[in-house]
Amino acid sequence: MATQQTRSLARFMMAPSVVLLFVWMVVPLAFTLWFSFQQYNPLNPIRDGFVGFSNYALFYSNPAFLQSILNTLILVGSVLLITVIGGIALALLIDQPIWGQGIVRILVISPFFVMPPVAALVWKNMIMHPQYGVFADIARFFGGQPIDWFGQYPLTAIIIIVAWQWLPFATLILLTSLQSLDGEQKEAAEMDGAGFVSRFIYLTLPHMSRAITVVILIQTIFLLSVYAEILVTTNGGPGYASTNLPFLVYQKALLEFKIGQASAGGIIAVILANIVAFFAMRAVGKNLDK
């Protein structure tokens, strides 16, 4: 049992890391908040002074703002739905005693190690290309017309790419949870005559609930900042069809050089992320308390 002296020593040893992490988080946020109330252009670095909430008003009045919020929520919700359901299915499949199980597991988790820009380029030029892509060849093989994914369904294409990248993560976490299920419980359920569906609904799924909430929490935090896949594939278009909030901030900062509006958008994104994280943490806390 830890004494007061060892606790004090532990706090003292952790203090430098905690202070460094605090500074690393707070300083950029403070500068972003400061610039959100300023009018500043890096090409003409003359700060015109305090402009109040004008940058927030201009960012909100942008025609792409509400569309970007909607696209962000659709992207996050769709990817979570695909990865959680797909992760559960793959975890159940990989958990079965099949030949080459180790190789299959490596192949399933391998997409998670591909950098987002590289994955987006592969999907854009080799899989979803309307003339030379794999999907186009499959459509022509069955007598159909190839689909211009990034022209007709840009947001759907982004969702597919991002879900492909995050599916291995969900599968790995859910597989770990599935393998921690007590074998005696499964045997008892089988002896009681419970079929696969009943065992899954009343035994497996409740056991995996904690892992599912952790997957949702972690993925939500990262999915709210998806950017590279949009830049490489659709560049936010056509129009604002695939523009999400992080990409809109990028446009304001590095294309239009409106640092004040971009900073205001960044603060709005932080607030949105904290709101989502708050409800996700409450969901995680309820499941962990069970």
Side-chain angles (χ1 to χ4, degrees), residues 94 98-111:
I94 297 175
I98 57 176
W99 183 84
Q101 191 178 57
I103 298 176
V104 172
R105 291 181 180 180
I106 293 175
L107 292 175
V108 168
I109 67 174
S110 59

Side-chain angles (χ1 to χ4, degrees), residues 16-222:
S17 299
V18 173
V19 171
L20 183 62
L21 181 61
F22 181 77
V23 172
W24 178 70
M25 293 173 57
V26 170
V27 171
L29 183 61
F31 271 100
T32 303
L33 185 62
W34 167 260
F35 278 112
S36 70
F37 296 107
Q38 305 292 325
Q39 184 174 343
Y40 176 71
N41 189 323
L43 299 181
N44 184 21
I46 300 177
R47 193 175 291 113
D48 292 338
F50 183 78
V51 294
F53 289 92
S54 298
N55 288 324
Y56 291 90
L58 290 171
F59 192 83
Y60 176 77
S61 62
N62 190 304
F65 174 71
L66 294 179
Q67 183 65 46
S68 68
I69 293 290
L70 180 61
N71 289 344
T72 302
L73 296 177
I74 292 175
L75 175 64
V76 172
S78 300
V79 173
L80 286 177
L81 187 65
I82 294 172
T83 54
V84 170
I85 295 177
I88 293 174
L90 283 175
L92 291 171
L93 180 63
I94 297 175
D95 191 49
Q96 302 302 316
I98 57 176
W99 183 84
Q101 191 178 57
I103 298 176
V104 172
R105 291 181 180 180
I106 293 175
L107 292 175
V108 168
I109 67 174
S110 59
F112 188 66
F113 300 103
V114 181
M115 296 297 292
V118 176
L121 284 172
V122 170
W123 277 87
K124 179 181 180 180
N125 297 317
M126 299 181 63
I127 300 178
M128 289 183 169
H129 195 282
Q131 293 182 351
Y132 313 112
V134 175
F135 287 173
D137 292 338
I138 294 175
R140 282 191 289 265
F141 178 80
F142 288 101
Q145 289 294 325
I147 298 175
D148 183 5
W149 287 93
F150 299 105
Q152 296 175 285
Y153 309 103
L155 188 58
T156 302
I158 299 296
I159 290 171
I160 293 173
I161 296 172
V162 177
W164 176 81
Q165 291 178 272
W166 281 97
L167 182 59
F169 172 79
T171 302
L172 188 62
I173 299 298
L174 296 173
L175 177 61
T176 303
S177 174
L178 182 62
Q179 291 180 334
S180 67
L181 180 60
D182 190 0
E184 293 182 357
Q185 292 182 341
K186 292 189 287 186
E187 292 177 2
E190 291 177 1
M191 292 178 62
D192 290 338
F196 173 79
V197 176
S198 298
R199 294 198 306 271
F200 174 75
I201 294 176
Y202 297 106
L203 181 62
T204 306
L205 198 57
H207 178 78
M208 298 173 68
S209 61
R210 294 186 179 184
I212 292 172
T213 53
V214 171
V215 167
I216 291 174
L217 174 61
I218 296 176
Q219 287 193 174
T220 298
I221 294 172
F222 285 95

